[in-house]
Amino acid sequence: MLKKILLLIPLLIPLKEYGLEMPSVFSDNMILQREKPVAIWGNGNPGETITVEFDGQKLVTTVRPDTNWRVFLAPMKANAKGRTLTVSGARKLTFQNVLVGDIWLCAGQSNMQLALHAVREGKEAAASADRRIRLLQIPRSWSRKPVYNIEAVWNEATSQTAWYFSGFAYLFGRRLFQETGIPQGLVDISWGGTRIESMMDRHVIPHVQIRESVRKELENQFHDLDIRSDRELRPDKQRLPGVLYHKMIRPLSPMAVRGVIWYQGEDNHADGMNYADKLQVLAETFRRAFSDPRLPFYIIQIPPYQYSLRDPQLLPRFWKAQFFWTERDINAEIIVSTDCGNFKDIHPRHKRILAERLANTILFREYRKGNSSVLAPQFKEAVWRNNEIIVSFHNSNGLKTRDGKAITHLMISESDRNFLKTEGRIQDDTLIIPVKKGMVPNWIRLGWDQSGNHNLVNCRGIPVAPFEEEVQIQQ
């Protein structure tokens, strides 16, 4: 009798079903990237047959000995109609209401994190939320080692889900959707107080061209992390090197995405030109993680703010690094924000103008909508001749002053760098600055101060990028 009972016990205990598993970012309401091969991936039993079906495509693969599997859907056109993604193996997984559109990784620190309910335009934006915008909130967490899954699922944008999502990211995505009708997927990878180093992959550092001093600085940061126990680490872990890459970015790889929005720098504002090298490491980190060497990078210039009473040039030197890097990367662009800050609040609450400026830039560069007037005019050269400095710009597009008054925050100096305020006039989309007799101008500045909200703009009101440059002498 005991033998018969023992034989029956296994039949009374549910068998655990092993086999097909997928990361949680595969969920109902997800969005897949249009016009690119789309990776679908997961785990299973070695040798298990996996079948993926979507949009008339049917792909079959076998789980590798390391338990991983991956297939690529062929590029698809945008589609705002929700459809079903089915993945079958030892069990069947079904994901409903899947769209095809563009996915943007919205990364940075507190100005990216600031929720829609905390920005001035939040109430109206949330009330008109459109479900064809999809939101993926990455939990704020850290790890010493790479993690391959996170508890995060896609949501339709509703008045409630948008209310707690990044206000800047949502306003940007809403503008893109309104202008194109293409579904937009927004991935919020933000954490207040984050340093740029926290989202770097240390294995990228040896493979990028950066100055040796910066390479050594980064290697020392990672080494210091390695030799310390968790108890010895600073409490604000989002400032540690690599730890957010491991937990908040690596689990998304190899998702196909359209581009990266980077709104960060407050915690690195004292880095000066070193930040340009760090941007190079960061961009390579994202481009490798998402298998796209030309992945677009859109940098938000951090707005004016009173960072230092002793050195008002600290922030402009950081701006110079942001501009320096974007000027040298054909797949990068910077969004000027000198008129979108609050000198006494590091978290300006008015986000719509800057978010739509970003969207308009992307509409021009990525969607071929609009014209170059959405880009900030940037310094080209300054030439001194006939007692005048003639300053020309890239993308000048109808220079004027915002308020119709004299140009503000304009300065020149001789070789001693003793800068003095000066006046200028606009003529044929150039800036003309008279020079007093006997003076030999060597340097020119516009808006080169942490409070530098100058009034020189283009025809659309986009501010000229602040600059400090040498003056060329022309006989």
Side-chain angles (χ1 to χ4, degrees):
M1 178 61 70
L2 179 60
K3 184 176 181 181
K4 290 181 179 180
I5 293 174
L6 291 174
L7 288 173
L8 287 172
I9 288 177
L11 301 177
L12 301 176
I13 301 174
L15 294 174
K16 183 176 181 181
E17 187 175 29
Y18 293 91
L20 173 63
E21 292 183 346
M22 295 181 69
S24 63
V25 293
F26 288 95
S27 70
D28 293 345
N29 306 314
M30 70 185 298
I31 184 169
L32 302 177
Q33 177 61 45
R34 69 184 177 108
E35 299 177 355
K36 280 187 176 185
V38 174
I40 309 293
W41 73 95
N43 297 94
N45 289 323
E48 181 181 354
T49 299
I50 304 295
T51 303
V52 176
E53 297 179 81
F54 183 73
D55 189 33
Q57 299 187 51
K58 183 176 182 179
L59 304 173
V60 180
T61 190
T62 301
V63 179
R64 301 192 299 265
D66 62 1
T67 77
N68 294 311
W69 62 268
R70 183 187 303 180
V71 297
F72 288 89
L73 293 170
M76 300 170 284
K77 293 185 180 299
N79 196 318
K81 181 180 179 181
R83 289 170 292 174
T84 301
L85 169 67
T86 302
V87 184
S88 304
R91 58 176 178 150
K92 184 176 182 179
L93 301 177
T94 302
F95 307 106
Q96 307 284 354
N97 196 24
V98 179
L99 305 186
V100 179
D102 285 333
I103 299 174
W104 300 94
L105 305 177
C106 305
Q109 56 181 116
S110 50
N111 271 306
M112 181 66 84
Q113 178 182 334
L114 196 68
L116 189 62
H117 66 75
V119 306
R120 290 183 189 174
E121 307 86 354
K123 188 174 182 180
E124 177 273 329
S128 60
D130 195 298
R131 292 178 181 272
R132 289 166 291 182
I133 299 174
R134 300 297 167 86
L135 310 176
L136 181 62
Q137 178 66 63
I138 305 302
R140 296 175 184 101
S141 185
W142 69 284
S143 174
R144 288 179 177 271
K145 296 181 179 180
V147 174
Y148 298 93
N149 191 16
I150 47 174
E151 295 301 319
V153 298
W154 288 93
N155 287 295
E156 296 177 314
T158 65
S159 58
Q160 185 174 10
T161 58
W163 192 240
Y164 297 100
F165 197 76
S166 162
F168 181 82
Y170 184 76
L171 291 169
F172 145 73
R174 181 182 70 160
R175 171 74 172 178
L176 284 186
F177 175 71
Q178 289 171 340
E179 291 297 316
T180 66
I182 295 172
Q184 300 293 321
L186 306 173
V187 185
D188 183 355
I189 313 173
S190 64
W191 193 344
T194 291
R195 289 183 61 83
I196 189 173
E197 293 90 338
S198 70
M199 295 196 189
M200 293 178 182
D201 177 4
R202 71 190 304 172
H203 298 101
V204 165
I205 297 172
H207 303 287
V208 292
Q209 292 185 352
I210 58 176
R211 288 171 296 166
E212 195 59 33
S213 59
V214 180
R215 192 187 312 278
K216 192 66 176 176
E217 176 195 338
L218 295 175
E219 290 173 348
N220 288 342
Q221 287 188 39
F222 279 100
H223 176 71
D224 187 67
L225 175 66
D226 290 340
I227 63 175
R228 293 180 184 272
S229 67
D230 286 0
R231 289 186 303 174
E232 295 175 303
L233 297 176
R234 59 190 303 166
D236 44 357
K237 303 297 191 294
Q238 72 273 29
R239 290 179 165 90
L240 297 172
V243 298
L244 302 194
Y245 166 75
H246 291 153
K247 193 67 178 285
M248 299 177 68
I249 298 171
R250 180 60 184 83
L252 302 175
S253 173
M255 179 190 293
V257 301
R258 185 60 186 259
V260 178
I261 312 303
W262 181 249
Y263 193 168
Q264 190 275 343
E266 295 88 345
D267 251 61
N268 288 89
H269 77 272
D271 278 1
M273 284 302 293
N274 286 356
Y275 192 78
D277 294 281
K278 295 178 182 181
L279 280 172
Q280 184 66 22
V281 178
L282 182 82
E284 187 66 13
T285 292
F286 275 86
R287 288 166 176 166
R288 290 189 180 214
F290 296 94
S291 303
D292 186 348
R294 293 184 294 275
L295 187 67
F297 246 79
Y298 290 90
I299 307 295
I300 309 301
Q301 176 201 16
I302 60 173
Y305 176 69
Q306 184 176 307
Y307 284 98
S308 172
L309 294 175
R310 291 175 297 182
D311 186 0
Q313 308 307 314
L314 194 65
L315 181 59
R317 288 195 290 271
F318 177 84
W319 289 340
K320 186 173 184 177
Q322 289 183 303
F323 285 105
F324 181 86
W325 182 75
T326 53
E327 287 170 1
R328 285 155 180 77
D329 190 306
I330 194 172
N331 298 301
E333 187 64 74
I334 189 165
I335 313 303
V336 173
S337 65
T338 51
D339 59 337
C340 296
N342 184 332
F343 192 51
K344 296 187 180 299
D345 186 354
I346 201 170
H347 303 122
R349 303 290 162 152
H350 189 61
K351 300 293 187 187
R352 181 183 60 81
I353 292 177
L354 187 56
E356 293 188 355
R357 187 173 294 168
L358 165 65
N360 290 339
T361 301
I362 289 177
L363 286 168
F364 172 64
R365 284 182 56 110
E366 308 284 337
Y367 297 84
R368 301 295 184 262
K369 294 174 71 72
N371 56 55
S372 63
S373 66
V374 301
L375 305 177
Q378 296 197 33
F379 176 90
K380 183 178 181 180
E381 66 174 358
V383 176
W384 176 47
R385 65 170 179 261
N386 299 328
N387 295 319
E388 291 181 332
I389 301 173
I390 303 170
V391 187
S392 56
F393 300 89
H394 299 286
N395 300 314
S396 50
N397 286 310
L399 288 182
K400 63 179 184 178
T401 57
R402 183 188 301 115
D403 50 11
K405 299 179 180 180
I407 299 169
T408 61
H409 294 84
L410 182 62
M411 308 180 80
I412 59 175
S413 83
E414 296 189 281
S415 58
D416 59 5
R417 297 182 65 84
N418 180 25
F419 282 88
L420 302 172
K421 291 182 179 180
T422 189
E423 296 180 350
R425 70 180 189 276
I426 300 164
Q427 179 179 307
D428 299 328
D429 260 1
T430 61
L431 174 59
I432 309 296
I433 303 170
V435 179
K436 292 180 180 180
K437 188 175 181 179
M439 182 180 186
V440 180
N442 287 97
W443 295 92
I444 179 172
R445 285 176 173 173
L446 177 70
W448 205 248
D449 185 277
Q450 63 185 4
S451 62
N453 180 16
H454 66 79
N455 63 350
L456 185 60
V457 301
N458 73 0
C459 62
R460 293 177 64 108
I462 310 296
V464 172
F467 62 84
E468 178 189 76
E469 298 288 349
E470 287 189 81
V471 176
Q472 307 300 316
I473 300 174
Q474 190 175 93
Q475 300 297 335

